[in-house]
Amino acid sequence: MSKSSQWIVGLNAVASALEHDAEHVREVLLEAGGKNPRIVEIEQQARRKDIDVRRVAQQALDGVAGGVRHQGAAARYAAAKTWDEHELPGLVEAAEGKALLLVLDGVQDPHNLGACLRSAAAAGATAVVIPKDKAVQVNATVRKTSAGAADTLPIFSVTNLSRTLRDLQKLGVWIYGLAGEADASLYAIDLKGNVALVMGSEGEGLRRLTRENCDGLVKIPMPGGFESLNVSVASGVALFEAVRQRST
């Protein structure tokens, strides 16, 4: 397969691609004899948009899915829009002082990245920033887990995360890193303006240089006694605290 395309699998992922970005869907594979009514809906949707549809055996879908649960649906998808680092300032400026960014410092698990993207899209985030190195990139598993968010949300894969954070600060974005040992509470800071919320990796947390380029470190208070939350859960909590503050 060309590097310019990849397979996405799962009913939600395929349906989302057809709804939001059909021009990049090259063909759709559906399980022959599949009984799920959503498979019929996807077939009709694809044919209405003049996209090739093939009914194939389950084994063929297993082959393209690469171990990911496909639910009887797969699509060959041209690479989604690649956002260049130089486009990020324009998005921040267009937000007119209300930019909300999620920065993920080295998330490794594609399911976690997909869940983070889903939360970011639900919260109306301006963009998500991830490093190119030592972090999972958007792949078929991420697309499926994100339930379509990976197709609609601006995602920036940057070469130097610390430099990107400094550039955001120059644009008037306040950078807050989430760290369990921080003294300040997430709920005590102002998240109404230009804000970037930075989450660390599953095992290591925030890297040293990332910490040094944050304006402050904050924690999510956990009276239940747990030391930390899953990165996707923490992202959702932080993002929707910003949403809550902006709605009052």
Side-chain angles (χ1 to χ4, degrees), residues 79-217:
K81 173 178 169 57
T82 300
W83 291 84
D84 187 273
E85 295 180 44
H86 298 97
E87 296 179 88
L88 185 55
L91 285 180
V92 172
E93 291 169 2
E96 298 180 337
K98 299 287 186 181
L100 177 59
L101 306 171
L102 178 64
V103 180
L104 301 172
D105 183 21
V107 170
Q108 303 290 325
D109 188 321
H111 295 92
N112 279 337
L113 177 56
C116 288
L117 296 179
R118 187 171 184 173
S119 292
T126 306
V128 174
V129 178
I130 60 176
K132 287 183 178 178
D133 295 328
K134 299 180 180 180
V136 66
Q137 303 299 300
V138 176
N139 57 28
T141 302
V142 173
R143 287 185 181 281
K144 184 175 187 296
T145 308
S146 76
D151 301 319
T152 59
L153 188 66
I155 303 169
F156 292 85
S157 183
V158 300
T159 303
N160 187 319
L161 185 59
S162 295
R163 182 179 63 202
T164 298
L165 294 178
R166 292 193 295 270
D167 290 343
L168 288 172
Q169 287 170 326
K170 293 175 183 176
L171 293 169
V173 178
W174 287 87
I175 314 289
Y176 294 107
L178 274 287
E181 72 278 9
D183 293 325
S185 167
L186 169 72
Y187 306 122
I189 60 172
D190 185 352
L191 300 175
K192 294 180 180 178
N194 286 330
V195 171
L197 298 166
V198 188
M199 306 289 164
S201 66
E202 294 91 343
E204 302 296 327
L206 296 173
R207 290 178 292 178
R208 179 181 59 82
L209 285 177
T210 302
R211 287 170 177 264
E212 292 176 358
N213 284 285
C214 290
D215 292 300
L217 299 179

